[in-house]
Amino acid sequence: MASAVLALLLLLLGGMSAPSTPQAGLLGRVCQYIDLHQDEFVQTLKEWVAIESDSIQPIPRLRQELFSMLTLAADKLRQLGARVDVVAAGSQKLPDGQTLPIPPVILAELGNDPKKATVCFYGHLDVQPASLEDGWLSDPYTLTQVDGKLYGRGTTDNKGPVLAWINAVSAFRALEEDLPVNLKFIVEGMEEAGSLALEEVVRREKDQFFSSVDYIVISDNLWISQRKPALIYGTRGNSYFTVEVKCRDQDFHSGTFGGILNEPMADLVALLGSLVDASGHILIPGIYDQVAPLTEEEKAMYEAIELDLDEYRRSSQVKRFLFDTKEEILMHLWRYPSLSIHGIEGAFDEPGAKTVIPGRVTGKFSIRLVPHMNASVVEKQVERHLQHVFSKRNSSNQMTASMTLGLLPWLANFTDSQYLAAKRAIKTVFGTEPDMIRDGSTIPIARIFQDIIQKSVLMLPLGAVDDGEHAQNEKINRWNYIEGSKLFAAFFLEVAQLHKNGTNVPA
């Protein structure tokens, strides 16, 4: 009778996420609670999106917004009964000498029953910059629902998934049910800026906060489909470079100096143009030497993944990709390095026709690293290549190249028991087996956890492939947000069952 009333309510209340297949027992009651309270969960997401927690722009006002965001999250966890420790993270010194405080890291825990498994969830609450002028169709900091899609900066990356975990916990609490597992949360506010100070906190807490942790879960990724869930077992790393070409600090008038000097912009364009060819192949000598060889087992995994190339291309709004087959596209997204040119600092980029020759310009590009590439080796290869290309131009300008970020790739053992628990939870909530995929982006904390804490790391994403993280009109589907909250609840129960049955808990 209760399920029939629920179905009627959902039918009458337009705009709500349709309930998943009814579940039995405790999970059924938890899912029913989540369905009936989904408007409250969306309202909380709206309140969190409204905070402009931009960690990229080093502006005191935005840094204060980050502190406000972390304070709000800490209060939310305390309301659930968690013991919360707000750990100071020091300060950030900027290139101009300015110093800004780094927002604290939240360490929270719910339960310490030695008979239960302990699951630690990582999330971040900082976002990329966003403004209406960038091409957003609505205010990026005002949650806007259109056709079941929740638009706003941070909805999918990563405020929505963090809240989905909290929603799952709140459902157990509201029903006065004991949590099936001990839970720990580590939440930061500087992920988009390279997770400043986070590694230091993890190292310091290795034998304290993390000593009882069995599993670590990260939900900061996307599916490769619009409707089919996925589990992620690997990410690429990232080496970020700047290359500066300088003649002098002042710009030149092109009518006065054009034609009689080596222009920095021409040198820089030549340097950037030497990095990658039209087929996406990186032209830096030796760059592919360290890439792990492709095995038959790995190749079979790509073949098993469901990917509609036409849908993927349309949702990406791309005319065509560099490769024609599913396997080639997935391998070049996940298991081969890529080089992307991001921008030029110091060049004239305003509307109009300013006839200036920039006196100094800085190009920015990055290389996504894959197993078994080494960032320090890549750094030397890049610098050697740029010096060689620049020397051939016989320019009188000065060229300086440097690596500003060197983050390593990550691979998990997807035979660990928490991957089995996640597969079962997805099958229960979504009625399908997940795609087993990698992610072409970089999640620094995964490698940090793996190397320092030496526990199993699982990536359990909620977002659809077309969510547009970092882009204009970022969104999370209401369906993903609500069903994702149920997924985490089901995951708690599956981990508890495996733990009870004695299925391997990693050392």
Side-chain angles (χ1 to χ4, degrees):
M1 178 65 179
S3 61
V5 172
L6 172 63
L8 179 59
L9 283 171
L10 291 168
L11 182 63
L12 294 174
L13 295 173
M16 299 185 75
S17 173
S20 55
T21 303
Q23 309 300 331
L26 175 55
L27 181 58
R29 296 196 301 276
V30 169
C31 290
Q32 185 179 62
Y33 178 88
I34 290 171
D35 278 328
L36 289 172
H37 292 80
Q38 58 181 279
D39 281 345
E40 298 170 25
F41 298 147
V42 171
Q43 176 61 31
T44 303
L45 180 58
K46 181 177 183 179
E47 293 166 4
W48 284 30
V49 166
I51 299 177
E52 194 177 349
S53 51
D54 173 357
S55 63
I56 300 299
Q57 300 182 79
I59 301 171
R61 177 186 67 82
L62 294 176
R63 197 52 57 93
Q64 185 56 51
E65 289 281 280
L66 277 165
F67 274 79
S68 297
M69 185 69 254
L70 271 296
T71 298
L72 185 62
D75 289 343
K76 186 74 172 177
L77 289 166
R78 289 190 186 98
Q79 290 169 14
L80 294 174
R83 185 181 70 80
V84 178
D85 189 10
V86 179
V87 181
S91 59
Q92 175 188 14
K93 189 170 184 180
L94 304 174
D96 62 1
Q98 180 186 13
T99 300
L100 287 175
I102 297 173
V105 176
I106 295 174
L107 300 178
E109 54 183 312
L110 275 161
N112 57 2
D113 187 341
K115 296 179 182 179
K116 295 179 180 178
T118 299
V119 178
C120 180
F121 169 74
Y122 162 83
H124 70 90
L125 297 175
D126 59 315
V127 300
Q128 288 279 327
S131 67
L132 271 173
E133 291 73 21
D134 295 336
W136 282 73
L137 299 178
S138 58
D139 178 5
Y141 296 103
T142 300
L143 190 72
T144 304
Q145 179 167 321
V146 180
D147 297 330
K149 298 176 174 63
L150 303 172
Y151 291 94
R153 179 57 92 214
T155 49
T156 200
D157 184 19
N158 183 230
K159 295 178 180 181
V162 171
L163 274 173
W165 275 84
I166 291 175
N167 297 343
V169 174
S170 68
F172 281 95
R173 286 289 195 243
L175 295 171
E176 299 182 348
E177 293 285 353
D178 191 29
L179 282 171
V181 295
N182 301 317
L183 280 175
K184 294 197 174 190
F185 291 81
I186 175 169
V187 183
E188 66 159 322
M190 291 295 286
E191 191 272 347
E192 302 292 359
S195 293
L196 302 180
L198 186 65
E199 182 173 350
E200 180 184 342
V201 171
V202 173
R203 288 187 183 279
R204 191 167 63 239
E205 295 290 339
K206 175 186 177 183
D207 298 321
Q208 299 177 62
F209 179 79
F210 294 105
S211 62
S212 62
V213 169
D214 297 309
Y215 306 108
I216 298 167
V217 183
I218 299 171
S219 298
D220 191 20
N221 315 77
L222 303 177
W223 303 343
I224 199 167
S225 164
Q226 291 187 9
R227 297 289 290 186
K228 187 178 181 183
L231 291 178
I232 295 174
Y233 64 93
T235 63
R236 292 192 289 189
N238 192 13
S239 289
Y240 200 99
F241 293 88
T242 63
V243 53
E244 179 190 83
V245 180
K246 177 182 176 181
C247 179
R248 68 178 192 183
D249 289 327
Q250 286 179 287
D251 291 341
F252 298 90
H253 188 298
S254 63
T256 306
F257 290 93
I260 64 169
L261 51 75
N262 295 117
E263 297 189 10
M265 181 67 87
D267 284 343
L268 180 59
V269 169
L271 290 168
L272 296 177
S274 75
L275 297 172
V276 62
D277 67 17
S279 67
H281 184 80
I282 302 173
L283 299 174
I284 299 167
I287 201 73
Y288 292 97
D289 291 352
Q290 295 177 290
V291 176
L294 177 65
T295 65
E296 289 301 318
E297 180 184 11
E298 182 187 346
K299 186 177 179 182
M301 292 186 70
Y302 297 124
E303 293 170 350
I305 292 171
E306 293 182 21
L307 177 64
D308 184 328
L309 285 186
D310 288 335
E311 175 192 312
Y312 186 49
R313 180 182 51 77
R314 285 194 302 270
S315 66
S316 303
Q317 300 180 48
V318 173
K319 185 175 181 180
R320 67 179 179 88
F321 292 118
L322 293 176
F323 306 97
D324 298 324
T325 69
K326 172 186 67 176
E327 290 78 15
E328 285 180 305
I329 285 177
L330 294 180
M331 285 191 287
H332 283 86
L333 276 175
W334 299 341
R335 64 108 52 229
Y336 290 125
S338 64
L339 190 150
S340 301
I341 298 171
H342 304 298
I344 296 176
E345 186 177 323
F348 172 61
D349 64 348
E350 301 292 332
K354 185 178 180 182
T355 56
V356 65
I357 299 173
R360 172 168 53 180
V361 285
T362 302
K364 301 178 182 183
F365 65 94
S366 68
I367 299 174
R368 294 287 177 174
L369 308 181
V370 298
H372 301 121
M373 296 175 76
N374 182 291
S376 61
V377 172
V378 170
E379 179 180 18
K380 292 182 176 64
Q381 291 170 332
V382 168
E383 290 178 351
R384 188 161 52 242
H385 171 75
L386 291 173
Q387 289 289 356
H388 174 70
V389 173
F390 189 71
S391 66
K392 290 170 61 178
R393 291 183 62 80
N394 195 30
S395 173
S396 60
N397 294 322
Q398 295 174 297
M399 190 275 289
T400 306
S402 61
M403 186 177 76
T404 61
L405 193 67
L407 302 172
L408 296 175
W410 164 80
L411 271 181
N413 177 7
F414 51 78
T415 64
D416 280 339
S417 56
Q418 72 163 339
Y419 274 84
L420 174 59
K423 286 181 179 180
R424 290 179 175 177
I426 287 172
K427 180 70 172 178
T428 298
V429 174
F430 292 97
T432 185
E433 295 289 335
D435 283 324
M436 296 299 295
I437 67 174
R438 296 195 203 181
D439 190 323
S441 61
T442 305
I443 311 293
I445 189 62
R447 184 64 184 250
I448 291 173
F449 281 143
Q450 184 171 278
D451 290 348
I452 298 174
I453 303 176
Q454 297 182 346
K455 297 293 183 179
S456 171
V457 179
L458 163 73
M459 289 194 179
L460 182 55
L462 292 190
V465 67
D466 60 347
D467 276 359
E469 55 182 356
H470 291 198
Q472 299 92 334
N473 304 309
E474 176 186 348
K475 59 86 178 171
I476 191 170
N477 298 326
R478 183 172 178 137
W479 181 77
N480 291 70
Y481 178 49
I482 299 305
E483 297 305 300
S485 301
K486 299 175 191 177
L487 171 62
F488 292 146
F491 177 71
F492 300 161
L493 291 165
E494 292 291 351
V495 169
Q497 188 61 46
L498 288 174
H499 188 77
K500 180 180 178 181
N501 294 342
T503 304
N504 70 298
V505 174

